[in-house]
Amino acid sequence: MEDEKIIDLYWDRDQTAITETEQKYGRYCGRIAQNILHDAEDSKECINDTWLRAWNSMPKERPAILSAFLGAITRNLSLDCYRRKHSAKRGGGVMPCIYDELHGCVGGEEPSCHVEQGELVAALNRFLAGMDKENRVIFVRRYWYMDDIHAIALQLKVSESKVKSSLFRTRKKLRVYLEQEELL
Amino acid sequence: MKKVEELLDALGKIDPVYIEEAEKTRFVRRRKYWIPAAACVALLVLGGTYGFLQLDGGKMQESDTAMESAAALPDSPVKEESAEYAVAAEQSKGEVLWNVNEVENLQTTVACGAAPARTEYYTAEELETYYGIRILPGTLPDGFEPEEAEQGYAVSYGDDGAVMDDNCNLVYQNGENGGRLEISARTVDMGEITSFADTGLRTSEIYGTEVTVGHYRTKENGSSKADGYLAIYEKDGVNVTVEGTGIDEETFRAVLEDLLL
């Protein structure tokens, strides 16, 4: 079913919206949750919560890109779940690596000095807009979808070393950019 | 909140355009194979076969000649013609329009190239990630079970790291009626490729993808005839062939719609 029609079902408060969403985006959202949580049960729970959150968000919102809208809900729910479960230690899967990589990018454990999230998001969007497409796709796959290096290399049909070097260079540039913007 | 957490949360709110771009972008390699005259056997056409081939328990008999020729081929120099990123076109996922052609014959070609420098084996899920499109049905027809690939699905690479042969078949069998569903995908024209021998076939439109679908009747155990269906389409640079026997038209359509939704 087309995204527009699925959104219409939400707006009409027709519960088949959830069935259609699950059929079309269940695997997409499931992959994001599994990347973050590395646990089938927790992932399933986050996916079910995603459909509920989408149901409660519409018709207040009408997403322009349904996949990104649903994926963002799953990502947020999964990250919250991950933080609850791994407040003491990082657990398995790709997340410990991602934390380490971003720690190297933005520095220490200390909180930032009164940076509004909106400012940071706007700066990230400007940074992404200035990147070439190849590096941007690799960066978003890693830090939005939380894909592992192997999966990114497979999807883009490039070597794993190319993915790693691209991410390394991008993190370095991002750090410089955020410092210039006085967001670090 | 720590800086890393803040950055992770802020990344979650980036422009959805970049999220969609990262999901849809695939690196598509277009390759040209130069095959020396001495090795011009690279393409074997086993013309006009399916309609007359005997099916044994729903499984197609392979051509010994083709397999022997494939194994005997010498190395061929390969040149990469170009490589470019392709963003999957924004599809106008309209209504499904079916045109199922009645066909007499199918044909199989076997294309072989140089010996690969290395071969990687992937699971079915990794293979789906590799192709970047759906090749695994969300729901299997009743009675069908996946046939496990012992080593996994093979993708061969050349010396330069470029893909040489990624023609892989996912097979599902129905133990009760001998039915068989086979989903093949490839981004380069290598290996065994099934196509229609008939020309001028009408195409179907399934959620924005143009698909050629054919129905054929084939002999089973030399007596009663069985129905077979073949669908061929190209999506995001991946050529896909779906073939089913021991399966009715409605179920075959449902598999295709599931793959292309």
Side-chain angles (χ1 to χ4, degrees):
Chain A
M1 183 180 281
E2 292 172 54
D3 286 355
E4 277 298 309
K5 287 185 181 168
I6 294 175
I7 294 167
D8 286 343
L9 290 175
Y10 278 106
W11 278 57
D12 295 340
R13 310 312 288 159
D14 183 337
Q15 291 194 358
T16 55
I18 293 175
T19 318
E20 293 292 341
T21 306
E22 190 168 13
Q23 190 182 347
K24 189 168 181 181
Y25 291 112
R27 284 158 59 100
Y28 172 80
C29 292
R31 202 180 71 221
I32 296 168
Q34 183 62 24
N35 281 350
I36 295 169
L37 294 166
H38 205 57
D39 182 287
E41 275 301 307
D42 288 345
S43 298
K44 196 175 171 187
E45 200 173 309
C46 281
I47 297 306
N48 288 333
D49 288 348
T50 299
W51 312 146
L52 183 65
R53 186 76 68 89
W55 177 260
N56 291 332
S57 302
M58 289 183 271
K60 276 182 286 184
E61 294 183 58
R62 192 170 183 94
I65 303 172
L66 186 58
S67 59
F69 174 78
L70 296 166
I73 295 175
T74 304
R75 186 183 183 277
N76 288 342
L77 289 169
S78 302
L79 272 177
D80 287 347
C81 179
Y82 179 85
R83 285 163 181 158
R84 276 199 310 275
K85 292 209 159 190
H86 300 283
S87 53
K89 53 178 185 174
R90 294 273 163 74
V94 75
M95 289 307 289
C97 300
I98 285 182
Y99 271 91
D100 285 344
E101 289 165 14
L102 292 180
H103 185 273
C105 180
V106 293
E109 296 286 311
E110 74 280 9
S112 60
C113 303
H114 309 298
V115 173
E116 292 291 329
Q117 189 185 58
E119 282 181 66
L120 190 52
V121 174
L124 285 170
N125 281 329
R126 286 194 299 276
F127 178 75
L128 290 168
M131 290 172 75
D132 68 71
K133 187 173 181 176
E134 179 180 10
N135 291 319
R136 183 169 62 225
V137 167
I138 290 172
F139 183 82
V140 174
R141 291 250 44 125
R142 181 66 170 170
Y143 301 117
W144 198 93
Y145 286 96
M146 316 294 191
D147 275 346
D148 63 31
I149 303 291
H150 179 64
I152 297 169
L154 265 179
Q155 181 197 330
L156 299 176
K157 297 183 177 52
V158 295
S159 66
E160 292 187 21
S161 59
K162 182 169 184 174
V163 174
K164 284 178 191 169
S165 63
S166 164
L167 289 169
F168 178 77
R169 286 195 305 271
T170 305
R171 287 196 305 270
K172 211 171 164 184
K173 285 179 188 170
L174 178 61
R175 182 179 179 89
V176 171
Y177 183 77
L178 293 176
E179 281 171 349
Q180 282 171 352
E181 297 285 313
E182 299 181 345
L183 292 170
L184 278 185
Chain B
M1 190 185 275
K2 292 172 186 170
K3 284 179 181 176
V4 173
E5 305 285 5
E6 287 180 342
L7 183 59
L8 267 176
D9 286 343
L11 281 163
K13 291 185 161 52
I14 58 170
D15 192 330
V17 168
Y18 299 130
I19 300 163
E20 191 183 37
E21 176 190 64
E23 180 62 17
K24 290 188 170 178
T25 298
R26 298 288 181 276
F27 194 55
V28 179
R29 289 179 182 277
R30 302 186 196 288
R31 306 177 57 81
K32 179 181 277 181
Y33 288 85
W34 289 349
I35 299 168
C40 63
V41 204
L43 193 67
L44 274 177
V45 178
L46 314 175
T49 51
Y50 273 56
F52 308 105
L53 272 180
Q54 297 287 322
L55 280 174
D56 182 9
K59 193 169 184 176
M60 196 67 69
Q61 300 293 309
E62 290 173 332
S63 161
D64 291 337
T65 313
M67 301 313 288
E68 284 163 13
S69 300
L73 279 172
D75 293 359
S76 306
V78 174
K79 183 183 177 188
E80 188 173 305
E81 190 175 55
S82 67
E84 61 181 31
Y85 270 100
V87 176
E90 191 63 37
Q91 292 177 348
S92 56
K93 295 209 165 188
E95 297 302 317
V96 175
L97 175 68
W98 283 103
N99 273 316
V100 180
N101 301 277
E102 290 299 322
V103 296
E104 289 295 320
N105 301 312
L106 307 181
Q107 65 185 16
T108 299
T109 60
V110 180
C112 315
R118 66 184 173 91
T119 300
E120 296 283 344
Y121 293 92
Y122 300 132
T123 64
E125 288 73 22
E126 285 177 328
L127 196 63
E128 187 169 68
T129 304
Y130 166 84
Y131 289 125
I133 62 165
R134 284 196 64 185
I135 54 165
L136 303 174
T139 310
L140 281 176
D142 289 344
F144 279 80
E145 295 289 339
E147 188 180 81
E148 296 300 330
E150 281 181 17
Q151 277 190 294
Y153 299 94
V155 175
S156 305
Y157 296 85
D159 291 329
D160 58 354
V163 176
M164 287 182 64
D165 184 354
D166 59 0
N167 191 339
C168 295
N169 304 323
L170 296 148
V171 178
Y172 303 89
Q173 301 269 18
N174 185 331
E176 291 171 12
N177 70 355
R180 182 179 170 89
L181 179 66
E182 188 167 332
I183 300 169
S184 310
R186 66 182 194 281
T187 62
V188 289
D189 285 339
M190 294 295 277
E192 192 173 312
I193 300 166
T194 302
S195 59
F196 294 105
D198 310 56
T199 55
L201 300 177
R202 293 172 302 157
T203 56
S204 300
E205 183 88 3
I206 306 172
Y207 300 124
T209 301
E210 196 172 83
V211 186
T212 307
V213 186
H215 166 245
Y216 59 90
R217 300 277 286 166
T218 186
K219 291 177 185 172
E220 192 173 84
N221 299 327
S223 54
S224 60
K225 287 192 170 185
D227 289 309
Y229 294 92
L230 177 71
I232 298 174
Y233 58 90
E234 186 268 332
K235 186 174 170 69
D236 299 351
V238 183
N239 291 293
V240 181
T241 304
V242 183
E243 189 174 5
T245 52
I247 186 172
D248 61 39
E249 184 174 324
E250 189 183 348
T251 309
F252 187 72
R253 286 185 184 196
V255 169
L256 280 176
E257 289 184 17
D258 181 17
L259 290 172
L260 289 164
L261 184 64

